[in-house]
Amino acid sequence: TVVGPISTDEFSTLSSLPSLRFLNLASAEVNGATLPDNAFANSQLVSFVSPSGLASVGSGLFSNCQNLAAVCWNSSTALPADA
């Protein structure tokens, strides 16, 4: 669980953590209200909870996340078709 501010640069660090399986951003404040392109691509995520209040979401968000089984989308911003 991430609480408080998180910058778009920190997403590459999160997605590169080999043991990260469950990520809850419901209480996170995403700087710029944007999840960047490929934010979690190639990660080992199994479950993801989005923050609310997103203004935009990049493409390829979960590209090649072969273990992803659950996404709880808390934003009114549409999840891109190529997420």
Side-chain angles (χ1 to χ4, degrees):
T1 300
V2 176
V3 177
I6 184 171
S7 71
T8 53
D9 295 338
E10 293 171 308
F11 285 105
S12 62
T13 301
L14 284 174
S15 67
S16 69
L17 297 172
S19 61
L20 183 64
R21 301 287 187 271
F22 305 96
L23 181 58
N24 183 337
L25 297 178
S27 297
E29 299 166 17
V30 179
N31 291 347
T34 299
L35 291 178
D37 289 347
N38 304 306
F40 306 109
N42 303 305
S43 72
Q44 299 300 311
L45 281 177
V46 172
S47 174
F48 175 78
V49 179
S50 78
S52 59
L54 292 174
S56 64
V57 179
S59 64
L61 194 62
F62 302 112
S63 177
N64 202 31
C65 290
Q66 298 174 356
N67 298 320
L68 188 63
V71 173
C72 179
W73 197 251
N74 296 317
S75 178
S76 60
T77 301
L79 187 61
D82 64 350

